[in-house]
Amino acid sequence: MDRNDAGEPRLRPAEPADHDRIVAVLDDWWGRPISAGLPRLFLDHFHRTSLVAEDGDGLAGFLVGILSPSAPGLAYVHFVGVAPRLRGGGLARRLYRRFFALAVADGRERVRAITSPVNGASIAFHAAMGFTVTGPVPDYDGPGVDRVVFELRLPPR
Ligand SMILES: CC(C)(COP(=O)(O)OP(=O)(O)OC[C@H]1O[C@@H](n2cnc3c(N)ncnc32)[C@H](O)[C@@H]1OP(=O)(O)O)[C@@H](O)C(=O)NCCC(=O)NCCS
C-alpha cells in the first residue's frame, strides 16, 4: 500500500492540507525546535512545487521547494525531511531528483538551499548530491544567524 513497484514510498505533489501532518513531525524529525520555520504559507502558496512521500506507515518524507518568482534562473529548497525510520535509503535523493526535473522543465538553471552550521546531516547530504558548500556565512540570516549555503547547477532543459 502506497509503495511503488520497487517497494519505495510514493511521491506526489503536496497539497495545502499537508501542512498539518508535516508540522506535526518536524521537531521530532529534526531533533530540535524547527517548526516555526515552516509556516502554513509555504504549503498554501508553494504546494505545486513541493512534494510528499508516503508509504503504508504514513508520511515518509517531504520537500518544500520554490521556483523563485523573483530570480528567474533559480529554484530553492526550503525544507527536506525524511522519516527517521527510512533514512539512508535514498528517499531524499528521490525527492531532490523529482524537484530538479520540475525545475529544469521550468527553465531553471540552479538550485539553492541553506542550512544551519549545526546540521551536519544536511551538509553531508547536499555535498553527496553534488552541491557546492559555502560557509558558514556569518550573519547570513541576521545578526548572529550564520548559514551554510548550497548550490547546484542543473542540466539544460
Ligand atoms: C538530511 C536527510 C533529508 C537525508 O535524507 P536520506 O533519505 O537519509 O538521504 P539519502 O538516503 O537520500 O542520501 C543521499 C546521499 O546523502 C548522503 N547522506 C544522507 N544523510 C547523510 C548523513 N547523515 N551523513 C552522511 N551522509 C549522508 C548519503 O550517504 C547519500 O550519499 P551516497 O548516495 O553518495 O551514499 C535526513 O537525514 C533528514 O530528514 N534529516 C533531518 C531533517 C534535515 O536536517 N533536513 C535538511 C535540512 S532542510
Side-chain angles (χ1 to χ4, degrees), residues 29-30 79-82 87-93 115 119 121-122 124-125 128:
W29 286 16
W30 261 250
F79 268 36
V80 62
V82 167
R87 287 190 190 156
L91 181 53
R93 182 183 290 280
T115 202
N119 196 337
S122 177
F125 166 72

Side-chain angles (χ1 to χ4, degrees), residues 3-127:
R3 288 177 181 263
N4 65 15
D5 292 343
E8 299 165 326
R10 284 193 186 279
L11 307 192
R12 63 163 172 84
E15 298 169 6
D18 288 315
H19 181 262
D20 298 293
R21 34 203 311 246
I22 291 172
V23 89
V25 301
L26 272 185
D27 292 355
D28 178 38
W29 286 16
W30 261 250
R32 59 194 163 97
I34 194 92
S35 50
L38 192 68
R40 187 174 294 280
L41 74 88
F42 281 98
L43 274 298
D44 279 351
H45 299 289
F46 300 105
H47 61 274
R48 288 191 194 164
T49 51
S50 298
L51 298 160
V52 165
E54 293 168 315
D55 65 9
D57 293 324
L59 187 65
F62 68 91
L63 181 155
V64 176
I66 296 169
L67 302 180
S68 173
S70 301
L74 202 58
Y76 183 84
V77 178
H78 180 54
F79 268 36
V80 62
V82 167
R85 65 187 167 87
L86 293 167
R87 287 190 190 156
L91 181 53
R93 182 183 290 280
R94 286 179 64 213
L95 286 162
Y96 261 63
R97 284 189 174 156
R98 185 72 65 92
F99 181 69
F100 294 165
L102 193 146
V104 168
D106 195 65
R108 305 298 165 138
E109 295 159 355
R110 288 167 294 131
V111 181
R112 197 174 290 165
I114 62 168
T115 202
S116 161
V118 301
N119 196 337
S122 177
I123 296 166
F125 166 72
H126 285 91

